[in-house]
Amino acid sequence: MAGRSIRSFTVLPRLPDRLRPLQTLAYNLWWCWNADAVALFRRVNPDLFEALDHSPIRLLGSTDQSRFEELEHDDGFLAHMDRVAAALDHYLKAPTWYQEHHSGDSAQIAYFSAEFGIHESVPVYSGGLGVLAGDHLKSASDLGLPLMGITLMYREGYFRQYLNVDGWQQERYPENDFFTLPLTPELDAQGAPLVVTVPLPGREVALRVWHIQVGRVPLYLLDANIPQNKPEDRAITSQLYGGDQHTRIQQEIILGIGGIRALRAMNKMPTVCHMNEGHAAFTGLERIRLLIEEEGLDFATAYEAVKAGTCFTTHTPVPAGNDSFPVHMAEQYLGDYAAKLGLDRNALVALGRQHPGNEQEPFGMTVLALKVANVSNGVSKLHGSVSRRMWKELWPELPAGEVPITSITNGVHTQSWLAPEFAQLYDRYLGIQWEERPTDFAIWKRVEQIPDGELWRTHERGRERLVALARARLRAQLKRRGSPPSEVEGADEVLDPDALTIGFARRFATYKRGDLIFRNAERIAALVNSKDRPVQFIFAGKAHPQDRGGKELIQRVVQQSRKPEFRKRVVFIEDYDMSVARYLVQGVDVWLNNPRRPLEASGTSGMKICGNGGLNLSILDGWWVEGYDGDNGWAIGAGEEYTDLAYQDEVESRALLDLIEQDIAPTFYKRDAGGLPREWIRRMKRSIMSLVPVFNTNRMVEQYTERCYVPSHRRAAKLSANHLQGAKELAAWRRRVGSEWGQVRVENIDAPTGEALRVGATFPVKVRVSLGGLRPDEVEVQLCYGVLDALGDIAEPKSLPLESNGATSGSSVLFAGEVPCRASGQFGFGVRVLPKNANLPHLFEPGLVTWG
Ligand SMILES: *Cc1c(COP(=O)(O)O)cnc(C)c1O
């Protein structure tokens, strides 16, 4: 049938009135992290729920009317439904952490991300970045933050994976049926679908706005697939990370510029924008444009006002992984738009470059994001320091250690990843507060009181379920490939529900080294075929469609898994998604993570296993550098970085096998008379108590609130007051400091020399500084001091502001202070001058420093 002649219509389920609450529950994704709500939908029809990606809406749409009539008279079911509905009601009304701590702030936070992984039935995510964003929303809801998520509504989402006979990844893009997603359309004042437009070269592209409710928090999704757009424009929001660079920049224009326009059209202009990765960096430009247009400001002033209310999180420690566009594309797509911001070609391009004059440098989205944000962070301590080194060219005068990029370590939404049996176990032994206060160490310490046998049996249920899933999936995979019936039958004999189970599931990117264990295939074969201590492996993960190297890794793992010596003990589950992830993290004994340090910015899958009693076996990279304490899992190596990669693979694969052979398998199989692995259980408890309260998104979102959102909101509010008086002053100040800075000089440093001092004494320093046209209160003169290392450098400098009493000497100003001598040793010090302004987040933000 020709496309034009198709008319669509929708058939909605006819729910009896008594069952209406099911509809309400299905449209608030709160259900997906509430075990009782999940159980309720499963109860409607377990097989159907399983077959339909655990989608309540599809479930309700596919259930026979006769089944509804049954349920309508099933007292047990009705009581269950009413209990869950009351729990949602209670959740939405309960007082929150944010109300308690920040109710005085009228912040409105918009969190922009190219993907959100909330649940497998809403396929607008590809992997870690999206799942993190989804968990961020869930915790923002738990904590009561005034936060909204913004993303695109991808008609086809990310691809579904299957493997061909050779183990080569194939991609499928099934269309999302919008009517079976928990979407509601946003409407305009007339009740028609809300439409906003964004400029693309030579045309305006129209966007619809959809809404998904995630607990207390809304997620808005922009959709270009509407009739007023040309067919090629309707396709822009088809695929997540699909298409070419043109698709990518168009999607980013829709996300950033369209996102702000949609919020404005809904009368929900944020006071703070958080850009999750550089994809959303155009939000900054659109907010600047609005201020210029509506308040008649110049670019510099609008920039100050917007920057103060913008936060940025970078995720990518590999330069090539950061989104960038050839400059001609930036000009093609943004040239006309930039003119409205008062920017010529060079000024536009400069926003995306570390070295504005370098014509070879492309237009980088991370660079733009770093320039428009007032606080930026990496996603683990190690990644923070890697990012400071990576982007130090943007602050050329600062030492790498002081580049203003901090870190907030990722987490996971605890309840979303816990097996229901574990949630019940914690309810019983920890009390129900663990759900509301997952960051409370004292609550998690009660894990010690859980009887070993109960903890172990609860964990074993997860392993049994995982093995059953792996067998069922393998069977389906073999059938689809047309394997002989004997082989399909054989799927029921792979894996052992009692054997030590090691999981490895993540994106297949070469740096994650998915095939590392097979580097020593004989040793691993001996381990998996051991009579009394068998080890088994379950793999899953997708490779980006254009990543040949990643696809080759998958192929290698799959080909190994088909060899006779591995067939029964190594399984690759196709089509890794949040559902497979839940089975895995709830079922494994050990989670393997062997990236090349420091390329795993944080990693989150290893955090998901902790609450479920799994133990981590990982390279000291990303979050594990902070998580590992010597007793709550295992570290491969000691945090080394290598230049000879083949040598690294050899060393680390051997270290990994040594650990499994000598520690992990023996500990797992050492059972007492009652059949319990007591030492293993002790480690499980250590892991739960030390890791669960830290590596969760409630802690993470609290930190974003305290360090980013609230301070940014306050700074932005201050700069915006009185028709942006503060922003005007700050822009003028920045201009003046920039032009005067060349005159700032340390003229003289006066300090005792040579003599030895005793601990407890003080070391007086006087400095004479020439400030050009700047006032003494516009700078901070600092003493940087600390213990000298073998090379005569100060390893960990401390800084001490020196005071001016207004005294001058000619045209210079005197500053003085005293260094306390708190420890003995060889000390060194230096003097530096930085510009200071109370409206900036910190002294290093302008990137200006003059050393004495
Ligand atoms: C958690 C998760 C990820 C991220 O895992 P990493 O360890 O951070 O690579 C990716 N995909 C899915 C489906 C997940 O659930």
Side-chain angles (χ1 to χ4, degrees), residues 125-128 131 417 505-507 512 576-578 581 600 603-606 608:
Y125 68 95
S126 85
V131 173
W417 297 102
R506 44 184 56 79
R507 188 159 54 86
K512 298 190 187 230
Y576 184 45
D577 68 355
M578 290 180 74
E600 191 66 83
T604 53
S605 55
K608 299 171 190 163

Side-chain angles (χ1 to χ4, degrees), residues 116 124 132 143 149 161 246 279 358 393 429 511 521 561 567 629 661:
F116 280 89
V124 292
L132 177 79
L143 296 168
Q161 175 196 55
H246 289 274
H279 308 128
N358 175 4
E393 298 292 299
Y429 288 93
Y511 78 85
S561 76
R567 183 168 294 155
D629 72 358
E661 250 170 35

